[in-house]
Amino acid sequence: MKLAGRVAVITGGAGAIGGAAARLLAREGARIAIVDHEVEACEAMAAALRAGGAEAMACAGDVADVATIEAQVAAVRAAWGGIDILVTAAGISCGGSVTTTAPADWAAVMRTNVDGTWLWCRAVLPLMQAAKRGAIVTVASQLAVAGGHRNSAYIASKGAVMALTRTMALDYVADGIRINGVAPGATDTPMLRRAFERAPDPQAARDRSRLRHPMQRFAKAEEIAEGVLFLAADSASFVTGVVLPVDGGWLAA
């Protein structure tokens, strides 16, 4: 197994992409700490992983609250001794252009997507520095490169995640820590379905998005998880500072 004996924390681990990553990393031997604000879903995901034979724990709480993060990191260290892998998959979207997005909605998206990524990296990096090894995988979006319509807060937040990923990679490479990200294309998740429902014609919006991919389909969450696994495992030992598109050819078109 590629991750035998490793400890992985996955924020948004009860969601579609985070959950798929949790299941895949667990199958590869990692101990998994699920971090998610949905308490019941967080506990259910950890229980499902344990039922499948993995070691897993639930860390329910706000991904952008410093005190909560500190307590969760302490709980993982107490249980398993350290943290080898961090996957920051927690994310939300509200839709809207700049002029139609309420300041509170903008702030909520930035808090979860950007602050949640930054604060978790900030909490985990000292442990990885002490161990002289570690891998962080952030979750961005192909829209942060290509742009998109009526989703300004989400797209801006993912651009910030991409930039943060690259600068962290340079800051911590000498410590033996690799920091990369994945940039998914449109992935068949509840978040994507909600985005289409905000459109005047949801089916037309869905078809436009699907056909924008040269592969003519949406990604499965499990396909994004494969990119996460590659970047988290030693098979990517010479890869850092990369935001890997897993986008069905969107950015190539």
Side-chain angles (χ1 to χ4, degrees), residues 156-194:
S157 75
K158 294 302 185 176
V161 169
M162 292 181 74
L164 179 62
T165 299
R166 294 186 176 114
T167 195
M168 288 192 299
L170 298 178
D171 284 340
Y172 298 99
V173 66
D175 295 309
I177 304 166
R178 296 184 303 100
I179 304 175
N180 297 287
V182 291
T187 306
D188 190 12
T189 65
M191 182 188 293
L192 183 68
R193 293 173 212 135
R194 288 192 296 269

Side-chain angles (χ1 to χ4, degrees), residues 141-149 151 154-155 158 184 250-251:
S141 169
Q142 96 285 10
L143 294 177
V145 178
H149 297 285
N151 207 1
Y154 177 81
I155 294 171
K158 294 302 185 176
W250 184 297
L251 292 178

Side-chain angles (χ1 to χ4, degrees), residues 109-253:
V109 171
M110 292 295 167
R111 186 176 187 278
T112 296
N113 299 5
V114 182
D115 294 0
T117 298
W118 171 62
L119 288 169
W120 264 99
C121 290
R122 187 174 183 270
V124 166
L125 277 164
L127 306 183
M128 294 181 173
Q129 286 178 297
K132 294 297 182 182
R133 63 171 296 155
I136 295 174
V137 184
T138 65
V139 178
S141 169
Q142 96 285 10
L143 294 177
V145 178
H149 297 285
R150 295 176 295 279
N151 207 1
S152 60
Y154 177 81
I155 294 171
S157 75
K158 294 302 185 176
V161 169
M162 292 181 74
L164 179 62
T165 299
R166 294 186 176 114
T167 195
M168 288 192 299
L170 298 178
D171 284 340
Y172 298 99
V173 66
D175 295 309
I177 304 166
R178 296 184 303 100
I179 304 175
N180 297 287
V182 291
T187 306
D188 190 12
T189 65
M191 182 188 293
L192 183 68
R193 293 173 212 135
R194 288 192 296 269
F196 293 142
E197 289 301 319
R198 292 194 293 263
D201 186 339
Q203 187 58 51
R206 183 178 181 87
D207 290 342
R208 280 195 302 272
S209 179
R210 178 177 58 81
L211 296 173
R212 175 65 178 77
H213 298 77
M215 286 188 174
Q216 306 280 287
R217 66 175 179 86
F218 297 126
K220 300 173 184 176
E222 291 76 13
E223 292 173 309
I224 311 306
E226 291 286 354
V228 172
L229 173 62
F230 167 69
L231 294 170
D234 290 343
S235 51
S237 59
F238 199 56
V239 181
T240 198
V242 165
V243 180
L244 175 68
V246 188
D247 66 352
W250 184 297
L251 292 178

